[in-house]
Structure formats: structure tokens, C-alpha cells
Amino acid sequence: MSRSDAPRLHALSALRPGARGRIARVTRDLTGRTERLAAVGVSAGATVRLLQTFPGIVFECDQTELAVERVVARSILVELEE
């Protein structure tokens, strides 16, 4: 796969409401955030749909609605649906 064929990833926080895609990865940090998100189904391969961006980030992940802080949404990288 060439670099131009590689999927383009977008932070969940940068998407517009209504955007849909699949989580490619959740960036790790030292707070244990990745493990807590995985416990509620937010992990690579899960489908997501952004519902709102203000006042907080609200999204649907495999039929579960979740609200997260903007800093958390920046760590969720999504490959958009075509």
C-alpha cells in the first residue's frame, strides 16, 4: 500500500456533526484513558457517528451514545466513510 492509498485519519474532535466512520485507533497516554474508553466499546474497529460538538462532543459508538471532553475526542482517530 502506498502512502497515497493509506487511509486518512481524523480526530473525532475535528469532525462535523453527522460524520460517520470507523475508529482506526485511540492514542495512548499515561492516564489510562485508552483502557477506560475500550471498556465502553470505544476501540479500533468500532463504528462511530458524531452527534454534536458543542458544548461537548457527543457521539454514537456501536449504538451507545457517549459524551466526552474535547481533549478526549482528539485522541480518537477515525477513518471516515466514503
Side-chain angles (χ1 to χ4, degrees):
M1 180 187 303
S2 73
R3 203 156 175 77
S4 62
D5 294 337
R8 181 138 187 247
L9 303 182
H10 304 270
L12 184 65
S13 61
L15 302 180
R16 294 176 187 242
R20 296 173 181 269
R22 187 165 301 276
I23 297 175
R25 73 175 179 262
V26 179
T27 56
R28 291 186 141 338
D29 64 9
L30 298 176
T31 66
R33 175 188 308 140
T34 305
E35 291 77 15
R36 289 192 304 276
L37 287 170
V40 293
V42 180
S43 59
T47 58
V48 293
R49 179 170 61 105
L50 187 62
L51 301 175
Q52 76 179 50
T53 58
F54 186 82
I57 306 288
V58 179
F59 66 104
E60 183 179 77
C61 181
D62 288 339
Q63 301 179 7
T64 300
E65 259 185 48
L66 299 157
V68 295
E69 295 175 358
R70 197 162 301 279
V71 67
V72 174
R74 278 195 292 266
S75 73
I76 301 169
L77 302 177
V78 177
E79 181 181 347
L80 294 177
E81 288 182 352
E82 294 296 320

